Amino acid sequence: MNKDYFHVCAKGADARNFIIGEVDYFAAFNLIGVCAANTEATVVSFSIEDSHPHILLWGTKEESSRFKVLFESLYVHYAAATRKGGADLVLRCELYPIGEDLDYLRNVAVYTIIQATKDGKPVMPYDYPWGTGSLYFRKGYYTPVWLFDEEGKIHQPIPIGSLGVRIKRALLHTRSLSVPDEWLVCNGYILPANYVDIRRFESIYVTFNRFRVYFSSPKSREDIMLARMADERGVMMEDIEARKTCGDLCKRLFDTRDPRKLDPRERITLAQQLRSQFKLTFRQLATLVRLPETEIRTFVH
């Protein structure tokens, strides 16, 4: 399958209680590394805000979708296990294909690392510890932001394989998945340089100056990007209306109102027609035709 860039993000209103404390930032940050180690999607950049994450991936649509679903699942399980009374958490990410529009790609790539500054935090992206802005267009020697502790002292990274099982699990926030033993950790962070494709990000802009231009891109560009994301995301119908719409179309195509009576290929066809005619969201399509969202995203455009 062909590879493309994909933007993973969630609207703040759709990701209730995503981050409620500093430990959650560490968990979300490190789980991105876990997902990178356990899927074939490549992380190009990301940032984590208190209401939602932004991640730029490079890979096939199927593997990028697996990354998204795995991150959602791992983080929700983490929240359920660590928050008093379980997880009062809603995390609904979307996967937006970038396509061949290079200008759009450059806007999205920088958008994924400037969120903290854009949202009013008194920090520049290269000093923000919960994103990868510190990695790009660096020349010569520099000290990554993750190597400083709270008192400003610099610590040396160590391989995660040299740590005990309990400490590893505390870093990974999962018992079922692992990362390579040679990956470096420091101050509680799985360092993003282990898995982020820094050169690929830089190749999107080629020069320092072009990166600077997009880094300070005007709101008009952002508005164009957000409008395209809204179009890609689709329309969420009320459940009753969506089920009726699905049943009516299923009846016309396959002479039954029940998608459960269809074979997988027919369910994909039904999902494709629902997307084409009614622009339903991928998440809602998966629910209506009873197929995993990863399969829907792979075969429905």
Side-chain angles (χ1 to χ4, degrees), residues 214-259:
Y214 280 87
F215 191 81
S216 57
S217 59
K219 190 176 185 303
S220 58
R221 282 183 174 174
E222 181 182 317
D223 289 342
I224 292 172
M225 185 187 72
L226 293 176
R228 178 166 166 178
M229 288 167 57
D231 183 61
E232 289 282 354
R233 185 180 189 189
V235 177
M236 177 68 78
M237 282 187 185
E238 291 291 336
D239 288 343
I240 294 176
E241 182 183 2
R243 285 196 294 270
K244 183 179 184 306
T245 299
C246 178
D248 291 345
L249 183 59
C250 189
K251 177 68 174 176
R252 290 203 305 271
L253 293 175
F254 303 109
D255 198 31
T256 176
R257 298 188 64 85
D258 188 353

Side-chain angles (χ1 to χ4, degrees), residues 16-17 75-90:
R16 186 179 67 245
N17 293 333
Y75 191 80
V76 168
H77 278 92
Y78 151 78
T82 58
R83 296 180 183 180
K84 186 177 181 180
D88 180 19
L89 168 70
V90 176

Side-chain angles (χ1 to χ4, degrees), residues 27-86:
F29 189 95
N30 288 349
L31 284 173
I32 290 175
V34 173
C35 293
N38 289 276
T39 67
E40 294 182 19
T42 298
V43 177
V44 182
S45 59
F46 71 85
S47 65
I48 298 165
E49 290 301 296
D50 51 7
S51 59
H52 59 285
H54 281 275
I55 309 168
L56 181 63
L57 300 176
W58 165 256
T60 65
K61 190 175 184 180
E62 181 179 18
E63 283 303 312
S64 298
S65 180
R66 291 187 192 284
F67 183 105
K68 180 196 81 76
V69 172
L70 181 60
F71 178 76
E72 289 174 328
S73 175
L74 289 175
Y75 191 80
V76 168
H77 278 92
Y78 151 78
T82 58
R83 296 180 183 180
K84 186 177 181 180

Side-chain angles (χ1 to χ4, degrees), residues 49-200:
E49 290 301 296
D50 51 7
S51 59
H52 59 285
H54 281 275
I55 309 168
L56 181 63
L57 300 176
W58 165 256
T60 65
K61 190 175 184 180
E62 181 179 18
E63 283 303 312
S64 298
S65 180
R66 291 187 192 284
F67 183 105
K68 180 196 81 76
V69 172
L70 181 60
F71 178 76
E72 289 174 328
S73 175
L74 289 175
Y75 191 80
V76 168
H77 278 92
Y78 151 78
T82 58
R83 296 180 183 180
K84 186 177 181 180
D88 180 19
L89 168 70
V90 176
L91 180 58
R92 294 172 180 167
C93 295
E94 292 293 335
L95 184 73
Y96 300 105
I98 304 301
E100 298 181 358
D101 187 337
L102 185 55
D103 183 63
Y104 180 65
L105 171 61
R106 287 169 175 165
N107 277 302
V108 171
V110 78
Y111 190 78
T112 62
I113 64 171
I114 65 172
Q115 287 300 299
T117 301
K118 187 183 76 67
D119 290 347
K121 290 184 174 66
V123 62
M124 292 300 288
Y126 41 77
D127 288 327
Y128 187 59
W130 313 116
T132 57
S134 178
L135 295 174
Y136 312 112
F137 289 96
R138 295 288 192 170
K139 195 171 183 179
Y141 296 103
Y142 75 99
T143 304
V145 64
W146 308 285
L147 271 56
F148 293 92
D149 65 16
E150 293 180 350
E151 297 177 351
K153 296 178 181 178
I154 298 174
H155 293 250
Q156 289 299 315
I158 59 174
I160 194 170
S162 66
L163 302 174
V165 172
R166 185 172 298 178
I167 299 176
K168 275 191 203 176
R169 286 178 178 171
L171 287 169
L172 297 175
H173 300 287
T174 174
R175 293 173 176 266
S176 59
L177 299 174
S178 62
V179 301
D181 283 344
E182 64 270 19
W183 277 19
L184 298 178
V185 298
C186 189
N187 292 323
Y189 302 97
I190 298 175
L191 298 180
N194 290 307
Y195 58 88
V196 170
D197 193 337
I198 300 169
R199 297 294 170 257
R200 177 169 290 281

